Tab-separated table of all heavy atoms in Angstrom:
chain	number	residue	atom	x	y	z
A	219	ARG	N	211.437	-186.709	172.153
A	219	ARG	CA	210.892	-185.607	171.373
A	219	ARG	C	209.450	-185.957	171.039
A	219	ARG	O	209.160	-187.103	170.652
A	219	ARG	CB	211.706	-185.428	170.088
A	219	ARG	CG	211.178	-184.375	169.159
A	219	ARG	CD	212.127	-184.115	168.007
A	219	ARG	NE	212.227	-185.224	167.073
A	219	ARG	CZ	212.947	-185.185	165.953
A	219	ARG	NH1	213.629	-184.082	165.664
A	219	ARG	NH2	213.005	-186.229	165.148
A	220	GLN	N	208.547	-184.982	171.159
A	220	GLN	CA	207.138	-185.235	170.864
A	220	GLN	C	206.621	-184.256	169.813
A	220	GLN	O	206.729	-183.045	169.958
A	220	GLN	CB	206.269	-185.140	172.126
A	220	GLN	CG	204.832	-185.564	171.907
A	220	GLN	CD	204.034	-185.629	173.205
A	220	GLN	OE1	204.182	-184.801	174.086
A	220	GLN	NE2	203.185	-186.657	173.341
A	221	THR	N	206.049	-184.811	168.757
A	221	THR	CA	205.378	-184.022	167.727
A	221	THR	C	204.027	-184.662	167.438
A	221	THR	O	203.784	-185.824	167.775
A	221	THR	CB	206.194	-183.983	166.419
A	221	THR	OG1	206.340	-185.341	165.933
A	221	THR	CG2	207.562	-183.374	166.623
A	222	MET	N	203.147	-183.874	166.816
A	222	MET	CA	201.830	-184.405	166.482
A	222	MET	C	201.960	-185.577	165.514
A	222	MET	O	201.243	-186.569	165.628
A	222	MET	CB	200.970	-183.304	165.855
A	222	MET	CG	200.526	-182.235	166.827
A	222	MET	SD	199.358	-182.876	168.033
A	222	MET	CE	197.952	-183.185	166.976
A	223	MET	N	202.869	-185.458	164.566
A	223	MET	CA	202.978	-186.472	163.516
A	223	MET	C	203.602	-187.770	164.018
A	223	MET	O	203.167	-188.855	163.627
A	223	MET	CB	203.815	-185.923	162.359
A	223	MET	CG	203.148	-184.840	161.572
A	223	MET	SD	201.637	-185.433	160.776
A	223	MET	CE	202.321	-186.644	159.647
A	224	ARG	N	204.596	-187.680	164.874
A	224	ARG	CA	205.402	-188.851	165.222
A	224	ARG	C	205.243	-189.294	166.666
A	224	ARG	O	205.809	-190.317	167.063
A	224	ARG	CB	206.874	-188.578	164.909
A	224	ARG	CG	207.124	-188.225	163.450
A	224	ARG	CD	208.584	-187.835	163.243
A	224	ARG	NE	209.472	-188.968	163.413
A	224	ARG	CZ	209.828	-189.803	162.458
A	224	ARG	NH1	209.344	-189.635	161.239
A	224	ARG	NH2	210.654	-190.794	162.700
A	225	GLY	N	204.483	-188.532	167.459
A	225	GLY	CA	204.294	-188.922	168.848
A	225	GLY	C	205.569	-188.752	169.654
A	225	GLY	O	206.416	-187.927	169.346
A	226	LEU	N	205.715	-189.576	170.685
A	226	LEU	CA	206.882	-189.532	171.570
A	226	LEU	C	207.962	-190.458	171.028
A	226	LEU	O	207.788	-191.675	170.983
A	226	LEU	CB	206.496	-190.004	172.975
A	226	LEU	CG	206.234	-188.977	174.053
A	226	LEU	CD1	205.750	-189.655	175.311
A	226	LEU	CD2	207.480	-188.161	174.359
A	227	GLU	N	209.079	-189.869	170.655
A	227	GLU	CA	210.186	-190.645	170.117
A	227	GLU	C	211.371	-190.585	171.080
A	227	GLU	O	211.756	-189.493	171.504
A	227	GLU	CB	210.676	-190.048	168.791
A	227	GLU	CG	209.660	-189.946	167.691
A	227	GLU	CD	210.269	-189.218	166.510
A	227	GLU	OE1	210.305	-187.967	166.528
A	227	GLU	OE2	210.726	-189.889	165.564
A	228	LEU	N	211.948	-191.745	171.341
A	228	LEU	CA	213.144	-191.782	172.173
A	228	LEU	C	214.349	-191.366	171.341
A	228	LEU	O	214.613	-191.939	170.281
A	228	LEU	CB	213.363	-193.186	172.721
A	228	LEU	CG	214.610	-193.399	173.572
A	228	LEU	CD1	214.533	-192.582	174.858
A	228	LEU	CD2	214.793	-194.879	173.894
A	242	GLY	N	218.088	-193.235	168.200
A	242	GLY	CA	216.981	-192.348	167.870
A	242	GLY	C	217.395	-190.928	167.549
A	242	GLY	O	216.565	-190.106	167.137
A	244	PRO	N	218.266	-188.066	165.465
A	244	PRO	CA	217.946	-187.981	164.032
A	244	PRO	C	219.140	-187.711	163.118
A	244	PRO	O	219.203	-188.251	162.034
A	244	PRO	CB	216.913	-186.854	163.970
A	244	PRO	CG	216.995	-186.129	165.260
A	244	PRO	CD	217.585	-187.034	166.257
A	268	ARG	N	212.242	-177.979	161.169
A	268	ARG	CA	211.659	-179.300	161.431
A	268	ARG	C	212.048	-179.861	162.793
A	268	ARG	O	211.527	-180.903	163.201
A	268	ARG	CB	212.063	-180.303	160.345
A	268	ARG	CG	213.558	-180.524	160.197
A	268	ARG	CD	213.844	-181.263	158.911
A	268	ARG	NE	215.260	-181.251	158.590
A	268	ARG	CZ	215.985	-182.343	158.435
A	268	ARG	NH1	215.431	-183.524	158.576
A	268	ARG	NH2	217.261	-182.260	158.112
B	440	PHE	N	206.852	-195.859	173.042
B	440	PHE	CA	205.473	-195.382	173.176
B	440	PHE	C	204.674	-195.572	171.898
B	440	PHE	O	205.201	-195.453	170.786
B	440	PHE	CB	205.472	-193.894	173.530
B	440	PHE	CG	205.807	-193.600	174.956
B	440	PHE	CD1	207.126	-193.483	175.361
B	440	PHE	CD2	204.798	-193.430	175.898
B	440	PHE	CE1	207.438	-193.228	176.690
B	440	PHE	CE2	205.102	-193.165	177.223
B	440	PHE	CZ	206.433	-193.069	177.621
B	441	GLY	N	203.375	-195.842	172.084
B	441	GLY	CA	202.440	-195.757	170.980
B	441	GLY	C	202.117	-194.292	170.711
B	441	GLY	O	202.578	-193.402	171.425
B	442	GLN	N	201.302	-194.060	169.677
B	442	GLN	CA	200.981	-192.699	169.276
B	442	GLN	C	200.032	-192.008	170.249
B	442	GLN	O	199.901	-190.776	170.209
B	442	GLN	CB	200.342	-192.702	167.890
B	442	GLN	CG	201.320	-192.936	166.764
B	442	GLN	CD	202.134	-191.700	166.442
B	442	GLN	OE1	203.150	-191.422	167.086
B	442	GLN	NE2	201.696	-190.951	165.462
Side-chain angles (χ1 to χ4, degrees):
Chain A
R219 176 172 69 176
Q220 187 173 39
T221 61
M222 289 292 292
M223 290 298 296
R224 302 174 68 89
L226 260 175
E227 302 175 278
L228 178 65
R268 60 193 168 122
Chain B
F440 283 86
Q442 285 283 84

